[in-house]
Amino acid sequence: MPLVSVVIPCFNHGKYLPEAVESIWSQGYPATEIIVVDDGSIDTTREVTESLPGVRYIYQENQGLSAARNTGIKHSHGEFLVFLDADDWLLPGALEMNVLLLQQDHELAFVSGGHDKVFEEEGITKEDVTPVAADHYLHLLQGNYIGMHATVMYRRWVFEEMAYDTSLRRCEDYDLYLRIARKHPVLHHTGKVAAYRLHTTNMSGNIPGMLSTTLQVLDRQRTSIQTPREKEAYARGHEIWKEYYCDELYKNLLNKKAPASLQAAQTLLKYRPILLLKFIVKSIVS
């Protein structure tokens, strides 16, 4: 069986590592290596990792997720690679499922699947499964249907051609999907591969920052757009992302899950001023 390298970047999430590592060992897929890249943690990441058998530990000064994943790639040996965040976990049969699909079509650069969103504070789990059978680049221009990078299994040669962009502090996975799908065939399936834990320390909780970086990543594709369908998808993607993140920000402000900050107000004013007006009116009334 081809070797699968599972790279776990970790920054101060040492307490979650045993669960993440156990989800890999319990796969039942025998040809697996696990590499934890400690991105300058000041918690117990080193001690926890060294207590886990069969896990390689690599330390680097804090440089961010992209750099940590690139470091993991350099120290890995697998024909296929998976990137699992320390606070997430793989679902049973995940590795075997994606390996089989890659083996069936040697032209594929990566294969991705569905996942569960686990809302830690609320104690609920929601299934996130989006069927995409074709035109993957067009779909990615209009949104990140993958949603969670642990559902993706890459071929090693992808990273001989490109790498995670270290200038991006977020959305680096979306940027990579777009660059790969622009040039190579990829596959998406509806089998669930991983569980995505949502809690207060997720970077995705910074909605203004997420929207700004997402649009920046999408704008990078402007020079690659060639056909009328791609132009339409690109324009549609801008509107979809603005609508999605502004609606989320508005709901969070109403439910007091996000502070009524200047950054939040500026984001709504720039992209969805009607929502800012509605929030102000509701705040006055209440």
Side-chain angles (χ1 to χ4, degrees):
M1 289 185 173
L3 179 65
V4 176
S5 299
V6 183
V7 176
I8 306 179
C10 187
F11 177 67
N12 292 335
H13 277 166
K15 66 179 181 179
Y16 297 114
L17 276 171
E19 186 176 7
V21 169
E22 175 57 30
S23 77
I24 302 168
W25 287 138
S26 64
Q27 289 290 302
Y29 185 83
T32 307
E33 68 169 356
I34 303 175
I35 302 167
V36 170
V37 180
D38 183 349
D39 189 38
S41 299
I42 56 174
D43 66 349
T44 59
T45 293
R46 178 187 290 272
E47 291 79 7
V48 171
T49 305
E50 291 177 345
S51 72
L52 299 171
V55 179
R56 292 171 58 201
Y57 174 83
I58 299 166
Y59 178 86
Q60 67 177 28
E61 296 295 328
N62 181 250
Q63 300 173 51
L65 265 175
S66 292
R69 291 189 185 125
N70 289 339
T71 295
I73 294 166
K74 293 174 183 176
H75 288 83
S76 68
H77 302 94
E79 180 181 342
F80 303 139
L81 291 98
V82 173
F83 300 92
L84 177 67
D85 281 358
D87 52 342
D88 300 330
W89 64 93
L90 297 180
L91 298 177
L95 297 182
E96 184 176 7
M97 185 191 315
N98 280 350
V99 166
L100 288 174
L101 289 168
L102 285 173
Q103 287 181 313
Q104 289 171 11
D105 186 346
H106 294 278
E107 298 298 316
L108 295 174
F110 70 70
V111 59
S112 57
H115 65 279
D116 281 335
K117 280 185 166 61
V118 180
F119 295 84
E120 191 172 62
E121 293 179 3
E122 296 84 351
I124 59 175
T125 299
K126 294 182 179 180
E127 189 177 74
D128 193 328
V129 177
T130 304
V132 177
D135 298 322
H136 296 83
Y137 180 65
L138 288 175
H139 282 280
L140 283 168
L141 286 173
Q142 298 173 80
N144 183 3
Y145 64 78
I146 297 172
M148 182 195 180
H149 42 265
T151 72
V152 183
M153 182 176 284
Y154 300 89
R155 291 192 189 276
R156 171 166 291 280
W157 60 253
V158 168
F159 299 105
E160 296 170 0
E161 184 179 316
M162 57 188 78
Y164 285 99
D165 188 340
T166 56
S167 71
L168 294 172
R169 303 300 288 185
R170 54 178 72 89
C171 303
E172 69 292 327
D173 51 345
Y174 183 42
D175 174 69
L176 186 63
Y177 305 152
L178 283 163
R179 287 188 282 138
I180 294 172
R182 167 76 276 183
K183 298 182 63 177
H184 303 289
V186 299
L187 175 71
H188 186 70
H189 61 86
T190 55
K192 291 194 296 184
V193 176
Y196 178 23
R197 191 194 310 262
L198 290 141
H199 50 81
T200 54
T201 59
N202 288 122
M203 284 195 298
S204 55
N206 181 352
I207 292 179
M210 288 295 296
L211 175 55
S212 174
T213 310
T214 301
L215 295 179
Q216 175 191 347
V217 166
L218 191 55
D219 284 342
R220 291 179 170 194
Q221 292 299 309
R222 184 181 300 158
T223 57
S224 299
I225 301 299
Q226 298 175 356
T227 69
R229 290 183 68 204
E230 289 172 354
K231 291 178 182 178
E232 182 181 350
Y234 172 77
R236 176 81 175 126
H238 272 266
E239 296 309 311
I240 289 173
W241 281 119
K242 292 172 187 176
E243 180 178 352
Y244 170 74
Y245 276 121
C246 286
D247 285 350
E248 286 294 304
L249 181 57
Y250 175 70
K251 287 187 292 186
N252 286 351
L253 288 170
L254 284 184
N255 297 328
K256 301 188 185 303
K257 291 184 177 180
S261 64
L262 177 60
Q263 186 183 30
Q266 289 174 333
T267 298
L268 292 179
L269 179 63
K270 183 175 182 179
Y271 298 115
R272 296 290 298 280
I274 186 64
L275 291 183
L276 178 60
L277 180 60
K278 286 176 64 177
F279 175 70
I280 292 172
V281 171
K282 285 182 176 291
S283 298
I284 294 172
V285 172
S286 61

